[in-house]
Amino acid sequence: MNRYPIGIQTFEEIRKNDLYYIDKTDLIYKIVKGSKNNFLSRPRRFGKSLLVTTLQSYFEGKKELFKGLAIEKLEKDWVKYPVIHLDLSSGKYFEIQRIKSTLDLLLSRYELYYGLNPIDRSAYGDRLNNIIQTAVTASGQKVVVLIDEYDAPMLDSNNKPELQAQIRDIMRDFFSPLKAQEGNLRFVFLTGITKFSQLSIFSELNNIKNYSLDDEFGAICGFTKEEILNTFHEGLNELAKVNGLSFDEAVDKMQEQYDGYHFTPHCPNIYNPYSVLNALYDKKFSNYWFATGTPTFLLELLTENNIDMPQLEGIDATEDQFDTPTDNISNPIPVLYQSGYLTIKDYDEGIYTLGYPNEEVRMGLNRSMLNYIAPRYGLRSTAFAVQFRAAMRKDDIDTAMEALQSFLAGFPYDIHHNREDYFQAILYTIFITLGFTIHAEVKTARGRVDLLVSTKNSIFVMELKLNQSAEKALEQIDAKDYSLPFKHDGRRIFKVGINFSTEKRTVDEWKYKEA
């Protein structure tokens, strides 16, 4: 148990304490022998910081830490370079003073090491420039610059345009030595959540190699299924035993909960490393990654753009949309992808189809949206959640719909939209949050099913109407044979017609019959 590196992102500490480390050094070797200026985008808590500290140990020539790893046989020279490692995730940038104090702290550490005393502490670019020059003179080697979470200041200030403009100017000055000192730099590597863009603060940095959508490096952060089975076999056995599962069942549950990320068009399935390690350590399945926080501005962007939760199941995007500037975020889709809430599900001739990576994210994002829309009502209404869930699992549609009718009637009047898809989105979100298997706009030979809900024993084919009638909804299910594709599933099949009223702002009536 104690070998899981929970909360530890420093390569040297992991290796010295014999903690679990999944070897990515063959890919790291290819990067360090390639381009001088490099960038990688991955979601938060996906191993970017561990990657950066691994690069740091490599460039500091700490060969002993790499014993038994792939790079030990690949690297012959092990040259020691001066390394400047700047982690911008160490601050929260909600006011201008925070960015100044964070940069001052990061630079002061290297100035103290090299005996420098800056005249103007606010001249961050000049200070970094002086550190680089001094490091070259002191060591006789070119400098390595590693910058972790470069975009943290821009993301924190996204909803404050004036503050972000000030921060952007400061950061542009701060990074200017990366171009001015090009001749003194051996290697530059930046990580972040948002993609690099020529329109962003890096407009001055030339010829940067972006590995974010490169198939060869798709698995450089996160775990593949093969890596998990090879490294954590004992932990998986313990996880299965504690949860009353077979080994294969535990592996399947792990895959359903934490797998499903695709960061490049053809990369293998990637598991969330933060959630996997915590699940193995705690011996239980929980929403670890999602519990670390969802930026409210993402939920605001979804609402402002009238994008409902069901729409996120299959959104098409082009590669240039992933390259959105960090200083002007108005479209939520690229940010949802870059942040890990959506991932690549399919790729065809330049078109990416995005969707939820796994159940942890699917359930977590929907729960967050429901609580954001109606914080007083959300699913904090325990009585409704218990009653609705129990009724649906017992095929008691009348009790479930009565509970839903009362629940929606309590929503504040000013959050309702007079659209059928609004009610569809709310119902979809409720089912997901309560742990049901649900899909929206399911295609059949003769049309699309509004909602398809599954339980262990039953399938519910649901058609929704607005200001019409439940009977008309039920007639559409029959007329288009929506239940036919599921006839031989083996479970009971219910056709359910639901009519919502914009006047009552809730369920008006419902009808159902068993197929």
Side-chain angles (χ1 to χ4, degrees), residues 84-256:
I84 299 173
H85 177 194
L86 305 170
D87 183 2
L88 291 173
S89 70
S90 58
K92 292 296 181 183
Y93 307 97
F94 302 120
E95 55 185 22
I96 197 65
Q97 187 54 43
R98 297 304 298 271
I99 182 66
K100 293 180 178 180
S101 59
T102 298
L103 293 181
D104 182 58
L105 181 64
L106 292 173
L107 294 172
S108 293
R109 179 176 38 166
Y110 290 98
E111 288 166 337
L112 180 63
Y113 179 81
Y114 288 111
L116 300 174
N117 187 21
I119 297 174
D120 183 358
R121 304 196 71 85
S122 65
Y124 306 110
D126 290 343
R127 292 170 66 183
L128 179 57
N129 194 71
N130 200 16
I131 290 170
I132 292 172
Q133 289 181 327
T134 303
V136 170
T137 301
S139 66
Q141 296 286 352
K142 292 185 177 182
V143 173
V144 171
V145 178
L146 308 174
I147 301 173
D148 203 5
E149 305 287 5
Y150 88 91
D151 54 351
M154 305 302 293
L155 288 174
D156 282 352
S157 60
N158 181 67
N159 60 349
K160 298 180 178 180
E162 292 184 8
L163 173 62
Q164 190 174 80
Q166 291 178 283
I167 289 178
R168 187 168 61 247
D169 290 341
I170 291 174
M171 297 307 295
R172 185 179 289 115
D173 170 66
F174 177 64
F175 286 115
S176 60
L178 299 183
K179 180 178 181 180
Q181 290 290 329
E182 185 176 3
N184 285 327
L185 297 176
R186 159 64 180 87
F187 183 83
V188 177
F189 192 85
L190 305 103
T191 75
I193 292 175
T194 52
K195 287 289 187 294
F196 171 85
S197 173
Q198 290 294 339
L199 299 175
S200 76
I201 56 176
F202 285 98
S203 57
E204 298 184 35
L205 192 58
N206 295 326
N207 302 316
I208 192 163
K209 170 62 177 173
N210 184 352
Y211 289 98
S212 304
L213 287 171
D214 192 321
D215 279 325
E216 186 176 7
F217 300 90
I220 196 167
C221 289
F223 302 152
T224 66
K225 184 175 183 178
E226 182 181 14
E227 289 169 337
I228 289 174
L229 292 175
N230 290 340
T231 307
F232 305 120
H233 196 276
E234 183 180 350
L236 288 167
N237 270 320
E238 285 294 311
L239 180 67
K241 181 180 178 181
V242 169
N243 289 275
L245 304 171
S246 68
F247 181 84
D248 288 342
E249 287 172 337
V251 171
D252 288 344
K253 179 68 174 176
M254 183 77 77
Q255 182 171 349
E256 176 187 11

Side-chain angles (χ1 to χ4, degrees), residues 361-426:
V361 176
R362 192 169 182 243
M363 182 180 293
L365 187 59
N366 277 270
R367 179 182 289 122
S368 294
M369 178 56 79
L370 189 57
N371 287 327
Y372 171 75
I373 292 173
R376 288 179 54 200
Y377 292 88
L379 283 188
R380 297 169 186 170
S381 175
T382 306
F384 163 74
V386 171
Q387 186 179 20
F388 185 83
R389 184 193 293 117
M392 288 300 300
R393 288 178 175 173
K394 293 177 182 177
D395 301 334
D396 185 354
I397 298 171
D398 286 324
T399 299
M401 290 299 109
E402 287 170 2
L404 178 66
Q405 187 179 54
S406 176
F407 179 63
L408 294 180
F411 274 46
Y413 75 92
D414 56 343
I415 67 168
H416 282 277
H417 298 283
N418 295 328
R419 311 188 329 260
E420 179 185 312
D421 55 3
Y422 165 77
F423 289 102
Q424 179 193 36
I426 291 295

Side-chain angles (χ1 to χ4, degrees), residues 312-489:
L312 300 181
E313 289 283 12
I315 286 186
D316 290 335
T318 56
E319 185 169 328
D320 63 299
Q321 288 180 285
F322 296 153
D323 213 21
T324 300
T326 59
D327 48 357
N328 184 24
I329 299 174
S330 57
N331 183 355
I333 302 307
V335 189
L336 284 167
Y337 163 74
Q338 294 157 13
S339 303
Y341 299 101
L342 297 179
T343 195
I344 298 170
K345 289 296 185 180
D346 194 19
Y347 174 79
D348 183 26
E349 297 183 357
I351 302 298
Y352 295 81
T353 300
L354 308 179
Y356 298 116
N358 51 48
E359 283 305 302
E360 176 183 23
V361 176
R362 192 169 182 243
M363 182 180 293
L365 187 59
N366 277 270
R367 179 182 289 122
S368 294
M369 178 56 79
L370 189 57
N371 287 327
Y372 171 75
I373 292 173
R376 288 179 54 200
Y377 292 88
L379 283 188
R380 297 169 186 170
S381 175
T382 306
F384 163 74
V386 171
Q387 186 179 20
F388 185 83
R389 184 193 293 117
M392 288 300 300
R393 288 178 175 173
K394 293 177 182 177
D395 301 334
D396 185 354
I397 298 171
D398 286 324
T399 299
M401 290 299 109
E402 287 170 2
L404 178 66
Q405 187 179 54
S406 176
F407 179 63
L408 294 180
F411 274 46
Y413 75 92
D414 56 343
I415 67 168
H416 282 277
H417 298 283
N418 295 328
R419 311 188 329 260
E420 179 185 312
D421 55 3
Y422 165 77
F423 289 102
Q424 179 193 36
I426 291 295
L427 191 51
Y428 172 92
T429 301
I430 288 171
F431 274 116
I432 282 185
T433 305
L434 293 178
F436 289 91
T437 300
I438 181 169
H439 298 284
E441 302 298 329
V442 178
K443 294 180 180 179
T444 70
R446 300 186 61 188
R448 293 187 298 184
V449 180
D450 282 341
L451 293 175
L452 186 69
V453 181
S454 302
T455 66
K456 184 177 180 180
N457 301 313
S458 305
I459 295 175
F460 302 88
V461 180
M462 296 184 171
E463 180 66 24
L464 312 181
K465 295 297 180 184
L466 184 66
N467 297 328
Q468 297 184 48
S469 70
E471 182 64 37
K472 190 168 184 178
L474 205 57
E475 288 174 358
Q476 182 171 329
I477 296 175
D478 286 333
K480 298 200 173 183
D481 284 333
Y482 283 161
S483 62
L484 185 60
F486 318 105
K487 183 177 179 180
H488 299 291
D489 180 271

Side-chain angles (χ1 to χ4, degrees), residues 9-51:
Q9 304 175 74
T10 305
F11 175 75
E12 183 169 358
E13 183 177 353
I14 288 173
R15 297 295 288 171
K16 284 185 175 180
N17 290 289
D18 193 29
L19 304 179
Y20 283 116
Y21 174 75
I22 290 182
D23 189 2
K24 307 284 187 178
T25 59
D26 58 331
L27 296 176
I28 290 173
Y29 182 77
K30 291 179 180 180
I31 289 177
V32 300
K33 297 300 182 182
S35 175
K36 174 183 287 189
N37 299 321
N38 308 275
F39 173 73
L40 178 73
S41 167
R42 287 295 183 267
R44 59 187 169 84
R45 296 186 181 274
F46 239 93
K48 299 190 299 296
S49 295
L50 175 58
L51 174 60

